[in-house]
Amino acid sequence: MIELAPDISFKKQIEKISGSSLSTCMQCGTCSVVCNLSPDVKPFPRKEMIYAGWGMKNKLLGNPDLWLCHQCGDCSTRCPRGVNPGEVLAATRELSYRSYATPGFFGKMLSRPVLLPMALIIPVIVIAAIIFLAGTLEIPDGPVNYSRFFPHSWLNASFTLLTLLSYSFATIGFRRFWNDLQNSGLGETSRKRGFFTSFWKVKNDILAHNRFTKCESNRGRQLAHFLVFYGFVLLLIVTLYAIYAAITERYPLELDNPFKILGNLSSLMLFSGIGIMIYMRIAKKEGSEKSSYSDWLFLVALLLLTFSGVVVEAARFLNWSAAYYLYFFHLVCVWFVIIYLPHTKFGHVIYRTLAMTFAFSINRK
Ligand code: SF4
Ligand code: SF4
C-alpha cells in the first residue's frame, strides 16, 4: 500500500524550478516508453510524474530513479502535453540534494539568489582572516610571489582542513540519502550485491559516461560532461602535486613542468566542456536542459575558477600589479567550487554514484 502524504508546497517548488505544469500530465506513459535508460520494471519517469503531481515528497527525495535519469530530454521532446518530464526530474533532483545538505543551511544558501552575497562573504572573511593570522595581509613589493602574500603552508593546511570539515558534514547527508534509497520501495526483495561490488561495477559506466550515449535528443551532453569531468580530475591531480611541490619547496612550477602543462590542458578541457554546456543552455536546443539558478551558479563558478586560474598564472609570469587581488579572487572561486561542492550541483557526482551503485545492487537495469 502506498502511503499518501501530499505536500502541495513541494509540488509548487518543482513547478517553479522546472517551469512545468504538473497538472497537465495525462499519464499516457509515452515518457517511460521513449526513455532508453528506464528499466522494464517500475519504469521512470511516468511514476515520478504521479508522485510530483501529488506532491509526494517522501516518494521522491530518496528515489534512486531520479538519478538514473541523465536528463537527455528525449521524454520532454516526445511528451504530447509539453510537460517536460526531464525537467521535472531535474528539478526534483535539485530539491533532493538540497534536502540532504548538512548542515541544512548550506543547501538553502546555495540555492537562493538572495543568499549569494552571504555565500561569497563567508570565504572572503575566512580567507582574509587566515592570511591575517599568518601575518602577511599586505601586498608584497617586488616580483610576484604568491607565497609571500599567503604562505603555502598556511594555504595548504587551512584549505585541506576546511575541505575535510565540509565533506565530513556532507557525509552525514550522504548517509541519510543512502538509507532513503534502501527504503525507497525499489529492491524491497532485498539487495543482491554488496556496496563495494556494485560500486566497482558501475564505476566503469560512470568513468566512460556510457549512459549519455543512449540519449537521442541531446548528444552534445556526453562530450561536455566528459570534458568537464576529466578536466576537473586532471586539475585535482595537478593541485595535489602543487601541494607536494610546495611542501618540498619546488613551487612555483615553471611553464615547461609536465604538471604545469597538465594543468593548462585541464583548463582547456574545462573551458571547452563548460563552453558547450553554456551554449546548449543559451541556445535552448530542442530537448536540451532548461536552466535553474543552481545550474548557472555551478557553471559560472566553475568557469570563473578556471578563468581566474589562467589569469593568476599569467599575472605571476608577467608581474602584473593586480596579481595579488586576482589571486585572492581565485581562492574565493576555489572555495566556492571545492569546499561547497557537496551542496551545489557538483554534488551530482556523489548522489548519482550512490544511486547507480544502489540500482546495481538490486539488479535494477
Ligand atoms: S509527462 Fe507527458 S509523456 Fe509522460 S505521462 Fe505525462 S503526459 Fe504522458
Ligand atoms: S530525460 Fe532522458 S533519461 Fe531522463 S527520464 Fe527523460 S528520457 Fe529518460
Side-chain angles (χ1 to χ4, degrees):
M1 188 196 299
I2 293 179
E3 181 197 342
L4 279 177
D7 180 336
I8 298 307
S9 70
F10 185 70
K11 175 186 174 184
K12 286 185 177 158
Q13 278 180 294
I14 296 175
E15 289 187 322
K16 188 174 170 198
I17 299 171
S18 66
S20 304
S21 169
L22 291 169
S23 309
T24 314
C25 171
M26 61 179 180
Q27 280 298 305
C28 65
T30 305
C31 47
S32 289
V33 173
V34 300
C35 177
N36 289 332
L37 295 177
S38 188
D40 297 337
V41 180
K42 297 187 181 177
F44 63 84
R46 177 174 171 259
K47 69 179 185 310
E48 283 67 26
M49 293 303 292
I50 303 177
Y51 299 153
W54 280 86
M56 292 167 70
K57 189 174 172 179
N58 58 336
K59 296 293 290 180
L60 285 169
L61 292 183
N63 182 333
D65 286 357
L66 292 184
W67 301 91
L68 301 188
C69 160
H70 280 50
Q71 210 181 348
C72 64
D74 292 348
C75 55
S76 296
T77 307
R78 305 278 189 88
C79 171
R81 304 280 284 180
V83 190
N84 287 330
E87 305 304 329
V88 171
L89 290 200
T92 315
R93 278 193 294 275
E94 185 175 329
L95 292 169
S96 171
Y97 72 73
R98 269 194 222 169
S99 78
Y100 291 107
T102 309
F105 171 70
F106 278 101
K108 288 194 186 73
M109 183 176 72
L110 293 162
S111 60
R112 295 188 188 167
V114 71
L115 294 176
L116 179 61
M118 183 176 285
L120 289 167
I121 285 169
I122 291 173
V124 168
I125 292 176
V126 175
I127 294 170
I130 296 168
I131 300 176
F132 175 76
L133 287 175
T136 52
L137 191 57
E138 60 182 336
I139 304 298
D141 293 327
V144 172
N145 181 344
Y146 295 124
S147 71
R148 290 175 57 214
F149 175 64
F150 195 163
H152 289 317
S153 54
W154 281 78
L155 170 68
N156 294 335
S158 58
F159 268 63
T160 304
L161 198 68
L162 287 163
T163 305
L164 288 176
L165 202 62
S166 168
Y167 290 18
S168 303
F169 277 115
T171 305
I172 299 170
F174 300 148
R175 182 75 222 178
R176 280 197 295 130
F177 176 63
W178 180 257
N179 288 341
D180 287 351
L181 290 176
Q182 292 178 303
N183 296 325
S184 62
L186 294 171
E188 60 270 27
T189 52
S190 86
R191 284 166 56 199
K192 295 181 171 51
R193 301 182 186 94
F195 178 87
F196 290 106
T197 313
S198 305
F199 172 74
W200 194 246
K201 287 287 180 191
V202 298
K203 79 165 190 325
N204 298 335
D205 253 4
I206 294 168
L207 293 177
H209 288 52
N210 279 340
R211 305 219 174 177
F212 286 103
T213 57
K214 301 203 167 125
C215 298
E216 288 174 12
S217 303
N218 212 352
R219 292 191 181 277
R221 296 188 71 239
Q222 185 193 19
L223 177 63
H225 279 252
F226 200 85
L227 287 167
V228 168
F229 182 82
Y230 282 102
F232 194 74
V233 169
L234 272 186
L235 198 64
L236 284 183
I237 293 171
V238 172
T239 304
L240 289 176
Y241 179 78
I243 293 174
Y244 165 76
I247 292 169
T248 53
E249 300 191 349
R250 289 180 214 170
Y251 200 81
L253 309 177
E254 290 308 314
L255 265 179
D256 58 356
N257 183 295
F259 281 91
K260 181 61 97 181
I261 295 169
L262 217 52
N264 290 330
L265 177 68
S266 74
S267 300
L268 198 65
M269 290 170 74
L270 283 167
F271 275 133
S272 312
I274 299 166
I276 297 171
M277 286 180 181
I278 290 179
Y279 167 75
M280 291 180 82
R281 286 173 188 281
I282 290 176
K284 284 198 170 64
K285 289 173 68 183
E286 189 185 9
S288 69
E289 302 154 84
K290 288 198 174 54
S291 307
S292 68
Y293 169 71
S294 302
D295 293 328
W296 281 116
L297 186 70
F298 162 67
L299 279 179
V300 172
L302 198 53
L303 184 64
L304 287 177
L305 169 71
T306 313
F307 182 69
S308 61
V310 173
V311 171
V312 159
E313 183 185 350
R316 174 166 76 84
F317 284 109
L318 300 173
N319 267 315
W320 290 355
S321 55
Y324 296 102
Y325 298 102
L326 293 167
Y327 183 57
F328 192 93
F329 176 75
H330 178 62
L331 292 177
V332 173
C333 294
V334 172
W335 178 303
F336 216 94
V337 172
I338 306 287
I339 296 180
Y340 287 155
L341 182 148
H343 317 300
T344 64
K345 194 172 178 191
F346 223 161
H348 270 53
V349 75
I350 298 160
Y351 288 102
R352 198 185 293 282
T353 301
L354 286 174
M356 286 172 69
T357 300
F358 175 74
F360 191 85
S361 79
I362 59 170
N363 212 19
R364 185 159 178 73
K365 294 178 185 166

